[in-house]
Amino acid sequence: VVGKPVVEATEGSLEAGEEDARLVVRPPPPPRVTLQWLQEHSEFVHFTMSPHIDMLRQALDTLGSRFNAGGLTLDEALGGQEEAAEALQSFLCNLQVWGSLALRGASGDFSPVPRAAVDDDLELFLARGLSGTTASMSARLAKVFATLTPMRMAEYHRQLARIGVARVRRDFRQHLAALQRNLEAMAQSDCALSAAVLGHLREVEQFMTAIYRFFKCVDINGQGEQNPDRPDAGESGIPRPPNRSPTALMEVGSDDSEEGSRAHAPRPALDRSLAGYVACLNCGHNGVLSEGEAQHLALHLRTAKFGKYAEEAATHE
């Protein structure tokens, strides 16, 4: 054969030196993992992901069932929604304005916030209203109601949102680290499925980090501002749980060692005459309010001096 070998361009690329030439075949690009691809390769997907499905479910459950805005979890907000982007936008707006609730799980623990961040008196009032199981508990609840204000309730829930976001983000990253150790080895062996799963999980982690840093930045910008009309506010400008030390929220808020959030007045400051307040209910449409929900409503009516509370306010004046 005279001359150098000639190869069709479609079969690869030709790298030639002065004396010889060799064919370098490029590997085919990895498949694009789409819903259709997953359905067409369901057996492979099941075989590949079965050893990791429990860890994956734990990571997603941490985000979906423990992350809430006004008591509505992310799973509930996105479940069955055709307009997922709009639903997610509404969820984030509610998270910023209304905050999060401390949801009590089956084991009795509050989620997603640590136990030390929970205000026992407020949570007891929201659960039972003024009806205590004992005379001393009823007296305690009446005292809470007498000094409670809608602003204190609102700031408490907004602070829970910040602490909850930091805790959920930290727990999700722990699950993600364990998954990465298992899936990265397969991703390096050109497993497109593992690489796609890791890519999506990293996007979720970036989503939580963006929310966490947003709260941290807006709060730091407003740090040092206090409401002089708040007699129950501490040096940080937020209400102190009556059964906690002054630094309790700061300690539990910094459980993320990398970027621990700090306790201070939630920002931005909202004009409640325009935004109003929220009362979270479980009764549904045309349902009956629980005692705690009825007293929560009474708190807002008393502050607005509406109905019988207008007469009581006039009497005291």
Side-chain angles (χ1 to χ4, degrees):
V1 178
V2 180
K4 297 182 179 179
V6 178
V7 184
E8 293 292 335
T10 56
E11 296 182 7
S13 62
L14 194 64
E15 290 187 359
E18 293 182 357
E19 302 294 336
D20 61 349
R22 60 189 178 88
L23 182 66
V24 178
V25 180
R26 294 192 182 97
R32 185 167 176 261
V33 179
T34 62
L35 179 60
Q36 180 180 353
W37 187 91
L38 293 174
Q39 292 172 342
E40 294 174 351
H41 301 81
S42 57
E43 292 185 2
F44 171 76
V45 172
H46 179 77
F47 175 80
T48 304
M49 298 306 300
S50 289
H52 318 291
I53 195 64
D54 289 338
M55 287 191 297
L56 182 61
R57 184 177 291 113
Q58 288 177 356
L60 296 179
D61 285 348
T62 296
L63 187 69
S65 62
R66 295 178 55 201
F67 183 31
N68 78 87
L72 183 73
T73 65
L74 188 58
D75 276 345
E76 294 169 337
L78 298 180
Q81 294 289 338
E82 295 182 359
E83 299 295 336
E86 183 178 350
L88 183 59
Q89 185 179 25
S90 298
F91 179 88
L92 295 177
C93 291
N94 291 334
L95 180 70
Q96 181 178 354
V97 176
W98 309 128
S100 297
L101 301 187
L103 304 179
R104 188 184 291 272
S107 61
D109 295 333
F110 287 95
S111 175
V113 297
R115 183 67 183 83
V118 175
D119 187 323
D120 290 338
D121 286 344
L122 282 183
E123 295 298 338
L124 184 62
F125 173 78
L126 292 173
R128 305 193 63 89
L130 301 179
S131 301
T133 55
T134 63
S136 60
M137 181 181 291
S138 297
R140 173 186 172 187
L141 290 170
K143 183 178 179 181
V144 172
F145 181 69
T147 59
L148 187 58
T149 64
M151 180 60 74
R152 178 185 171 191
M153 184 82 73
E155 290 191 5
Y156 170 65
H157 286 144
R158 292 182 73 193
Q159 187 63 38
L160 289 184
R162 285 138 172 82
I163 298 174
V165 165
R167 175 60 66 93
V168 169
R169 171 177 173 267
R170 187 201 65 177
D171 292 348
F172 181 82
R173 295 177 75 183
Q174 289 177 348
H175 291 301
L176 177 59
L179 279 166
Q180 280 182 319
R181 288 192 293 269
N182 295 330
L183 294 179
E184 279 182 346
M186 290 192 300
Q188 291 174 357
S189 61
D190 296 331
C191 179
L193 178 61
S194 299
V197 170
L198 282 175
H200 288 307
L201 289 175
R202 291 190 184 104
E203 287 186 11
V204 173
E205 191 273 334
Q206 292 170 3
F207 166 72
M208 289 302 301
T209 297
I211 300 173
Y212 175 77
R213 288 177 176 169
F214 167 78
F215 279 138
K216 184 176 180 182
C217 290
V218 297
D219 287 348
I220 289 177
N221 288 338
Q223 203 167 6
E225 299 182 18
Q226 299 184 31
N227 186 346
D229 298 329
R230 291 284 314 287
D232 58 332
E235 295 179 358
S236 59
I238 64 170
R240 295 177 185 168
N243 55 340
R244 305 295 177 199
S245 67
T247 58
L249 283 179
M250 183 173 291
E251 292 171 357
V252 298
S254 59
D255 57 2
D256 188 331
S257 59
E258 179 182 345
E259 299 176 279
S261 61
R262 298 183 179 181
H264 37 67
R267 307 297 298 175
L270 302 175
D271 185 349
R272 292 296 174 177
S273 65
L274 299 176
Y277 297 92
V278 66
C280 302
L281 309 176
N282 289 319
C283 62
H285 292 289
N286 299 322
V288 179
L289 299 180
S290 68
E291 178 64 22
E293 292 168 347
Q295 291 303 324
H296 189 183
L297 176 60
L299 169 67
H300 294 288
L301 296 178
R302 183 190 70 184
T303 303
K305 300 179 181 179
F306 183 82
K308 69 175 184 178
Y309 296 102
E311 300 176 359
E312 293 180 1
T315 303
H316 290 305
E317 290 178 357

